[in-house]
Amino acid sequence: MALYNFKKIMVVPTAKEFIDITLSKTQRKTPTVIHKHYQIHRIRHFYMRKVKFTQQNYHDRLTQILTDFPKLDDIHPFYADLMNVLYDKDHYKLALGQINIARNLIDNVAKDYVRLMKYGDSMYRCKQLKRAALGRMCTILKRQKSSLEYLEQVRQHLSRLPSIDPNTRTLLLCGYPNVGKSSFINKVTRADVDVQPYAFTTKSLFVGHMDYRYLRWQVVDTPGILDHPLEERNTIEMQAITALAHLRAAVLYVMDPSEQCGHTLQEQLELFNNIRPLFANKPLIIVANKCDVKKISELSEESQKIFADLSAEGIPVIETSTLTEEGVIKVKTEACDQLLAQRVNTKIKGKKVHDVLNRLHLAMPAKRDEKERPPFIPEGALNRRKAMEVDTPKRKLERDLEMELGDDYVLDLQKYWDLMNEEEKHDKIPEVWEGHNVADYIDPDIMRKLEELEKEEELKERAGEYESDEESEDEEMQEIRTLAKQIREKKQLLVLESKEKDVHGPRMPRTASKVEKKKLEKEMSNLGLDMSDKNDSHYALQARRSRSVTRKRKREASAPPTSKTRSQSASRPPRDQSGLRDVKMVKKAKKMMKNSQRDMNRQARKGESDRHVFDLKPKHLLSGKRKSGTKDRR
C-alpha cells in the first residue's frame, strides 16, 4: 500500500471562485431580512453574524488547503527531494506561507470589525461596517491569486505522480537513455511504459508491480541519465538521481554493449563510476541488454575487459534481451534474492531482533545412550488398521487419470450417470426447441436426397438448360431489348438533367408532378413507339376516368337525414374506422389508443402537445423568507 495519497488533496479554487463561493454561502446560510425599527442590539447581532460566518468560511477553506498539502519536513526524504526538483521547495513553501498569513489577516479583520460593530448606533453604521469587513477580506484573498493558481497546478501534478512506497521491496532501473529500461519493466510487470527508438522517451518516474515468492514488489523505471556534473543536470535527470539517493532498492544498471543507444561502452562505464556513490549499501546488478544484437563474447578484448573487471569486483553481470526475453527472469530472480537477503541481514543487525529472540527458545535434546527407541503404536490400533485393509484395488480418481493420460485426457462425467440402462449413458441428448424435439423434424434420408438433387442439377447444366443463347432470340425480342436500352439511357439523362437544375427552388412532391400529354407522346414517338392508337392507351383512359370522378354528380332527392351518421357520405366511413378490417381490429385500435393516453392522463395533460402550466410561481410557495421546517415544499 502506498505511504502517501496525494490524489485526496481537495481542488484549490481561484481567488475569484473562492470569493464567489464564500459570499454566496453567507447569503444563503444567514438571515437576510432586517428592519430599521428593530432594537439596536438585534441589528448589531444580525450584521455581526454575517461577518463571523464569512470569516469562519474563509478560515475553514484555507485551513483545509494548508492541511491537505504535504509538509516537506514531515514526509519521506524521497518525496521531499522529488517535490523540490519538480516544484522548487522555496516557491512551494512561500505559497503555503502566504496562504497562512492571509488566513490570519482575515481572522484579525473579522475580530476588529466585530469589536467596532458593538458600538454601531444605527442600522446604516452597522451595515457599512459589515460591508467594509467583507470587502477587506475579499481584497486580502484577491492578493493571493498567484499563490492559489500555483498550488492548484502543484495539486494537479501531485495527483498524477505514481504511488511509490519508499519502504517496500523495490527494483530500480537506471542507465543511459535508450538502453532498454522501459522494455525491461514492461516484460517483468503489468506496466505499459511507452517505448520508442529515441532518447528521453521516459520523462518521469514510472512504477510497475510484480509478485515474487508470494510478495508484492515494485519496479521503478527512471528517466535516462547523461554523464555530466550534478549542477548541469535537468529536471528529468534529477528525478532519477533522487530515486537512486533515497529509495532502499536493488539497483539494476542497464548497459547496451551493442552501442545502439548512441553512447559507447566506455561512456556508459564512466557514468556508472560517476553515480556509483549512490549505489552504496544497495544490491547492484549490471544488466547487459540487447544480447540478441551483440553478445559480450562478440565484443573486442577492451570491451570484454570492462565487464570482466566489474565481475572481478563482485558485481554480477547478466546478459539479457527484452526482445527474446532471454535472461530477463534470471535478472529478476537474482535481484529479488539479493534484496531479500540484504533486508533480512539489516533486520538481524538492528535492536528489535533481540526483543524477539528473547521470547523464542528452541529445545535440542541431547542423546543419553545408543539405544534405539522406535515409535510405539498400540496393538489395538495396529489391529484396526489391518481390519480396514481390503484386497480390492483402489478406485482411480479423475485426477489420477489426468496425470496418467496427460494431453490425451478428456473429462467425461456422463460415465458416472445413474441410469437404469447402462448403454444409454453416452446417447446424444435431444435438442428441444419451443417444446418440440428437433430430431423429429429431420429427415434421416436428407443427405441422400441432397446428393440426388445436386446430380440432377449437374446433368441440367451439362445439357445447357440454364444457358441463354442470345443468337436464338427472334427479331422482335432483340427490338424490345434495344428499345429498353434506349429507355434506360433516356431515364439516366433525365435524372442528370434534373440534378443540374436549381435545387434550392420550390420542390413539388412526386404525386403532384404532371407531364404534358403532347410532350409524352412526342418523347415516346422519338423512342420508336407507335402512337397512332393513343386513344385506347393506359394514360388516356386514366385521364378520362379522373375527369369523370372530379365532375359533380347531381344530388338525388332524398329524405332529410335523421341522424349525424346518416348525413355523412355512405362511401366514406367514419375516421375512427377507416383503414380497419373488422370489428375485432377496431376494438384493438381503441384499446391501444386508451393505453397510449394513460401516461398523459396521469400527468393531467390532454396529449403530447399539451404544454400548459397553470401557475409558474405559486405565491404561497415562493414568497417570503424560508425558515426552518419549510423546505419540503420546494
Side-chain angles (χ1 to χ4, degrees):
M1 193 180 81
L3 194 61
Y4 305 105
N5 191 358
F6 298 132
K7 291 177 177 64
K8 286 187 178 176
I9 300 173
M10 283 182 66
V11 177
V12 181
T14 60
K16 188 175 182 304
E17 286 172 359
F18 215 126
I19 292 163
D20 289 347
I21 290 163
T22 309
L23 292 183
S24 68
K25 194 174 182 181
T26 305
Q27 182 69 9
R28 284 185 291 110
K29 298 281 187 180
T30 55
T32 52
V33 179
I34 188 81
H35 298 293
K36 59 187 174 185
H37 63 263
Y38 285 174
Q39 288 181 340
I40 191 66
H41 71 85
R42 186 176 173 185
I43 294 170
R44 284 176 195 154
H45 182 261
F46 176 85
Y47 287 112
M48 274 183 201
R49 188 173 167 188
K50 285 194 177 291
V51 173
K52 285 178 180 175
F53 189 86
T54 309
Q55 175 263 330
Q56 193 60 45
N57 269 335
Y58 277 131
H59 183 91
D60 292 346
R61 282 255 174 185
L62 294 171
T63 306
Q64 182 74 43
I65 291 168
L66 290 169
T67 51
D68 277 357
F69 277 90
K71 291 182 176 62
L72 297 182
D73 301 330
D74 298 345
I75 60 175
H76 193 277
F78 163 68
Y79 273 116
D81 270 17
L82 188 63
M83 288 177 72
N84 183 25
V85 167
L86 294 171
Y87 318 122
D88 183 13
K89 181 168 68 176
D90 298 335
H91 194 174
Y92 177 76
K93 282 189 171 181
L94 198 66
L96 287 177
Q98 286 178 335
I99 296 295
N100 191 27
I101 291 165
R103 181 182 65 173
N104 295 334
L105 284 173
I106 286 170
D107 290 352
N108 292 336
V109 164
K111 198 194 299 178
D112 292 345
Y113 275 89
V114 165
R115 194 182 295 124
L116 285 171
M117 213 172 276
K118 287 178 184 175
Y119 302 101
D121 55 358
S122 66
M123 181 177 164
Y124 177 76
R125 288 264 174 91
C126 293
K127 185 177 181 180
Q128 293 307 100
L129 286 168
K130 183 268 299 187
R131 194 175 171 192
L134 266 58
R136 283 188 65 185
M137 289 180 201
C138 295
T139 306
I140 290 165
L141 210 64
K142 274 181 188 172
R143 288 177 187 154
Q144 304 308 317
K145 183 184 175 186
S146 56
S147 296
L148 290 168
E149 285 175 355
Y150 167 75
L151 286 172
E152 173 58 14
Q153 287 176 356
V154 170
R155 184 200 67 81
Q156 288 177 6
H157 199 277
L158 272 174
S159 67
R160 288 194 290 268
L161 278 181
S163 297
I164 299 173
D165 188 350
N167 301 318
T168 192
R169 297 161 291 277
T170 309
L171 303 183
L172 194 66
L173 295 159
C174 64
Y176 261 102
N178 214 29
V179 291
K181 300 185 294 297
S182 299
S183 303
F184 185 87
I185 194 176
N186 286 348
K187 290 292 178 188
V188 296
T189 70
R190 291 184 287 275
D192 186 18
V193 184
D194 190 24
V195 178
Q196 296 294 343
Y198 50 79
F200 288 110
T201 312
T202 307
K203 294 187 177 66
S204 61
L205 299 173
F206 281 91
V207 183
H209 293 87
M210 65 177 189
D211 293 323
Y212 178 71
R213 289 197 179 176
Y214 304 104
L215 296 170
R216 176 51 61 93
W217 297 69
Q218 66 181 9
V219 185
V220 180
D221 179 22
T222 61
I225 312 170
L226 298 175
D227 186 20
H228 48 212
L230 189 68
E231 297 79 25
E232 295 177 19
R233 289 202 164 103
N234 59 19
T235 308
I236 296 172
E237 293 173 274
M238 283 305 294
Q239 292 180 62
I241 299 295
T242 307
L244 282 167
H246 294 293
L247 292 178
R248 293 163 55 195
V251 179
L252 306 179
Y253 185 77
V254 186
M255 296 178 77
D256 183 6
S258 68
E259 299 181 356
Q260 286 184 344
C261 62
H263 301 280
T264 62
L265 208 56
Q266 190 60 38
E267 286 175 356
Q268 294 177 54
L269 183 67
E270 285 171 8
L271 174 65
F272 175 75
N273 292 326
N274 188 355
I275 61 172
R276 196 163 182 178
L278 298 170
F279 304 154
N281 302 322
K282 291 174 187 171
L284 176 62
I285 294 174
I286 303 290
V287 180
N289 197 20
K290 304 185 184 178
C291 70
D292 56 315
V293 179
K294 190 177 278 188
K295 295 195 174 185
I296 295 175
S297 57
E298 298 170 8
L299 298 171
S300 62
E301 288 184 8
E302 292 178 6
S303 303
Q304 286 185 28
K305 189 174 181 299
I306 291 170
F307 289 106
D309 292 345
L310 290 169
S311 298
E313 290 177 32
I315 302 168
V317 178
I318 302 173
E319 289 186 83
T320 64
S321 168
T322 51
L323 184 68
T324 61
E325 296 189 17
E326 180 188 341
V328 171
I329 301 301
K330 188 181 176 184
V331 170
K332 170 186 162 182
T333 310
E334 180 72 20
C336 292
D337 289 343
Q338 280 195 27
L339 186 62
L340 277 176
Q342 193 219 25
R343 284 168 72 95
V344 170
N345 290 335
T346 310
K347 284 178 182 176
I348 288 171
K349 287 174 187 174
K351 292 178 181 177
K352 285 184 181 178
V353 74
H354 297 298
D355 300 336
V356 178
L357 286 173
N358 289 338
R359 298 179 211 159
L360 301 175
H361 174 67
L362 181 63
M364 294 291 289
K367 272 186 139 185
R368 59 186 176 185
D369 52 29
E370 298 300 321
K371 189 179 177 182
E372 287 289 328
R373 290 180 176 84
F376 172 72
I377 303 171
E379 192 178 346
L382 287 169
N383 293 336
R384 276 200 301 275
R385 187 186 288 179
K386 284 178 183 176
M388 288 172 69
E389 289 177 2
V390 288
D391 297 334
T392 54
K394 189 181 174 184
R395 184 172 69 89
K396 278 190 179 180
L397 303 174
E398 288 294 319
R399 174 69 180 160
D400 302 331
L401 288 170
E402 187 180 357
M403 297 299 292
E404 190 181 315
L405 296 173
D407 294 338
D408 299 329
Y409 172 75
V410 178
L411 179 64
D412 181 19
L413 296 175
Q414 283 180 290
K415 63 187 177 186
Y416 298 118
W417 288 2
D418 188 13
L419 300 178
M420 288 180 71
N421 189 356
E422 292 289 324
E423 295 174 0
E424 293 177 357
K425 279 185 180 178
H426 291 87
D427 286 3
K428 286 189 178 180
I429 299 168
E431 291 182 35
V432 178
W433 184 69
E434 291 189 357
H436 302 289
N437 189 346
V438 175
D440 295 344
Y441 296 89
I442 295 174
D443 191 349
D445 299 333
I446 191 164
M447 297 310 293
R448 183 180 56 76
K449 289 178 181 177
L450 186 64
E451 285 176 10
E452 287 177 4
L453 195 64
E454 285 176 354
K455 284 177 185 176
E456 190 180 334
E457 288 296 317
E458 282 178 16
L459 291 170
K460 284 185 177 181
E461 281 179 10
R462 284 177 196 164
E465 190 171 324
Y466 298 125
E467 292 175 6
S468 59
D469 192 2
E470 292 183 4
E471 294 178 3
S472 62
E473 291 178 353
D474 54 355
E475 290 180 8
E476 187 181 349
M477 194 65 190
Q478 286 179 356
E479 192 178 337
I480 289 167
R481 286 188 187 280
T482 312
L483 195 59
K485 190 179 178 183
Q486 285 180 353
I487 290 169
R488 279 196 292 273
E489 287 174 0
K490 183 68 178 175
K491 193 176 179 182
Q492 285 177 350
L493 286 170
L494 286 169
V495 169
L496 291 170
E497 192 180 326
S498 69
K499 280 181 181 176
E500 287 171 5
K501 287 179 185 175
D502 179 21
V503 293
H504 298 295
R507 297 185 186 180
M508 295 289 283
R510 194 183 296 170
T511 50
S513 61
K514 290 184 179 179
V515 183
E516 289 184 10
K517 186 178 174 185
K518 288 180 181 177
K519 186 180 177 183
L520 184 68
E521 288 173 0
K522 187 180 178 184
E523 285 179 3
M524 291 296 115
S525 57
N526 288 342
L527 289 169
L529 281 173
D530 183 21
M531 299 300 292
S532 57
D533 190 17
K534 60 190 178 185
N535 291 330
D536 295 332
S537 63
H538 177 71
Y539 74 91
L541 291 168
Q542 284 291 103
R544 284 202 291 276
R545 191 179 296 159
S546 63
R547 275 203 303 276
S548 66
V549 168
T550 53
R551 196 178 296 135
K552 285 186 177 179
R553 293 180 293 177
K554 285 185 181 180
R555 186 182 290 277
E556 295 175 6
S558 60
T562 54
S563 67
K564 189 179 177 183
T565 51
R566 286 276 187 89
S567 65
Q568 290 177 347
S569 171
S571 61
R572 187 175 167 199
R575 196 170 169 204
D576 59 340
Q577 293 176 12
S578 62
L580 301 172
R581 190 169 55 248
D582 49 17
V583 179
K584 190 179 178 183
M585 201 172 179
V586 172
K587 282 183 181 176
K588 191 177 179 183
K590 283 185 178 177
K591 192 176 180 182
M592 285 167 72
M593 183 187 74
K594 282 182 181 176
N595 287 344
S596 65
Q597 188 61 27
R598 190 179 291 162
D599 287 341
M600 298 300 159
N601 292 346
R602 273 202 203 107
Q603 298 167 19
R605 285 160 62 188
K606 295 172 188 174
E608 288 180 8
S609 61
D610 187 1
R611 299 280 187 278
H612 180 59
V613 179
F614 293 96
D615 194 352
L616 278 171
K617 292 186 176 181
K619 193 167 182 182
H620 73 283
L621 290 181
L622 295 151
S623 65
K625 176 79 178 73
R626 259 203 308 168
K627 296 195 179 77
S628 58
T630 59
K631 298 185 188 110
D632 56 340
R633 295 205 300 277
R634 289 269 175 152

